[in-house]
Amino acid sequence: MSKVIAAVDSSAAMRPVLAMGRAVAVALGASLEVLHVVEDENEELPAVAQATDAPMRTLSGEPIEVLSSVAAEEDVLAVVLGARDSSSGPHPAGHLAMILAGQTTKPLVVVPPGSHPPEQLHTALVAMKGTPGKARVLRRSIEISARAGLEIVVVHVQDEDSIPSFSDQVQHETEAYAQEFFARHLIGAPQMRLELRIGVPAVEVLRAIESTQAELVAVGWPQTDDPNRGAVAREILDRSPIPILLMAAT
């Protein structure tokens, strides 16, 4: 049976990681497996993780190497992990997840320590900026959300000048643009809508999280060597109150 991996440690994100792992597993019709990567032989996992009814696997080694290896297993659908882990030190939120996202094409769900995932997911927000140059990432995000039976809100943020002109009236231009966007990119998801926003991408996505009451936000993560890659994703990781689904953009 396919499974979702909830990678836990002793950080504050452990409880929400377990909760989100269960919710993602239920949504995808998969089983949940809890993974604990041990770096120190004397390290003990808190009782809350030991008490879970899900199967648990304990592995030793460097966290990123172990997680990358586990994510590559054929029956693993997704990996859920905390935005900060006990070994991240001064690194920013999502540091481990961003490294892992550069090494695997499996979906990664990054859970902020203060989030409160529900038992059942209902709404996913798919974030995108500018023109859909990485349409495959957009489609994969939609496919996963649709498979889970979620309502999908695509938040498309762009500059005012980048909206194509179809008529002399703004409302008709926006409607026409939305129809064309749906026809090209949003096929196969019955519960789906598009929000077209103008402004700073990360700011507008964070506002949309609040207005849509989504429980999950999907963003693309470019698998390149560019040190400036994923600026929008980084800001969302730093500031999002809800779990973030990182999708590899190859």
Side-chain angles (χ1 to χ4, degrees):
M1 181 179 183
S2 297
K3 59 189 177 184
V4 171
I5 301 294
V8 300
D9 57 19
S10 57
S11 72
M14 183 179 59
R15 288 179 182 272
V17 165
L18 288 171
M20 191 63 185
R22 293 190 191 97
V24 173
V26 169
L28 296 178
S31 63
L32 175 66
E33 180 179 290
V34 179
L35 173 67
H36 180 215
V37 181
V38 178
E39 294 183 273
D40 183 346
E41 293 182 356
N42 297 320
E43 181 181 351
E44 294 185 4
L45 190 65
V48 65
Q50 297 178 21
T52 181
D53 55 0
M56 178 175 292
R57 188 174 7 163
T58 300
L59 298 175
S60 300
E62 176 65 29
I64 188 61
E65 294 178 1
V66 175
L67 286 170
S68 183
S69 177
V70 170
E73 294 174 1
E74 187 175 352
D75 59 348
V76 171
L77 292 181
V79 176
V80 182
L81 68 165
R84 292 182 177 87
D85 74 306
S86 58
S87 63
S88 63
H91 293 301
H95 175 74
L96 181 63
M98 287 187 289
I99 295 176
L100 185 58
Q103 299 180 0
T104 179
T105 58
K106 297 291 181 68
L108 304 178
V109 181
V110 188
V111 184
S115 63
H116 302 282
E119 293 184 3
Q120 182 177 354
L121 300 175
H122 300 92
T123 305
L125 189 154
V126 178
M128 121 177 229
K129 68 170 185 175
T131 57
K134 296 293 183 182
R136 184 167 57 178
V137 176
L138 180 66
R139 292 193 185 102
R140 283 189 65 212
S141 301
I142 292 171
E143 287 170 1
I144 292 172
S145 301
R147 175 179 174 182
L150 306 181
E151 177 188 3
I152 302 167
V153 181
V154 176
V155 177
H156 187 188
V157 185
Q158 57 184 197
D159 297 327
E160 185 173 9
D161 293 340
S162 63
I163 301 178
S165 179
F166 290 94
S167 72
D168 293 331
Q169 299 184 39
V170 174
Q171 65 268 30
H172 294 315
E173 292 174 2
T174 303
E175 290 172 5
Y177 180 78
Q179 290 175 6
E180 181 182 355
F181 185 88
F182 269 93
R184 287 186 178 182
H185 307 290
L186 308 187
I187 301 172
Q191 302 182 72
M192 187 164 48
R193 60 189 173 90
L194 171 68
E195 282 198 11
L196 181 61
R197 293 185 175 226
I198 312 299
V200 179
V203 172
E204 293 303 324
V205 169
L206 291 165
R207 287 175 177 168
I209 289 173
E210 182 177 356
S211 65
T212 62
Q213 297 186 323
E215 299 109 351
L216 180 68
V217 54
V219 299
W221 179 253
Q223 290 188 316
T224 70
D225 295 329
D226 184 355
N228 297 317
R229 64 181 174 175
V232 174
R234 289 175 189 271
E235 187 169 353
I236 293 172
L237 278 166
D238 282 338
R239 299 172 57 189
S240 175
I242 64 172
I244 302 97
L245 172 63
L246 283 181
M247 301 293 298
T250 55

